Amino acid sequence: GRGAILAGHGLVMTGADILAACVLSLYAEQTAERMVLAAPLGGARPLTDDEVAEYRRTLDTPGLFAKAWAFHLTTEQAHVR
C-alpha cells in the first residue's frame, strides 16, 4: 500500500511526488468520511480486486491528481472567506 495509519498520530501517505501524496491523503480522508456515513445504512461494500485494479488504472494519474488538488484549493479558499 501507499499509506499507513499510525496509532495516536493519524494517516501517512506516500506518492510519486508531494502532490500525489497530498491528494491520496485527501482521497483517504473522504473515503473514511463516507464509510462513517455508510455505517448506519449497513456499511460500505468492499471493492473487488478487479475494481481496485480499474481505479488504479484510471484514477492514479498525475493529471487527475493536479485537477483534484486545484479543486481542493478552491473549496478551501471558499471556507476561508
Side-chain angles (χ1 to χ4, degrees):
R2 292 200 260 167
I5 300 173
L6 305 175
H9 298 285
L11 183 69
V12 176
M13 299 299 288
T14 64
D17 53 31
I18 192 71
L19 177 68
C22 288
V23 171
L24 290 170
S25 294
L26 294 171
Y27 287 169
E29 183 178 348
Q30 291 172 349
T31 299
E33 290 173 1
R34 290 177 180 137
M35 290 179 73
V36 167
L37 293 172
L41 304 172
R45 176 187 61 82
L47 298 174
T48 66
D49 290 343
D50 288 341
E51 289 170 325
V52 171
E54 177 68 12
Y55 290 144
R56 281 194 176 138
R57 187 181 68 73
T58 59
L59 300 177
D60 192 0
T61 64
L64 188 56
F65 289 158
K67 288 180 184 179
W69 184 248
F71 177 76
H72 173 72
L73 291 178
T74 61
T75 60
E76 285 301 307
Q77 289 172 356
H79 287 106
V80 172
R81 292 181 191 168

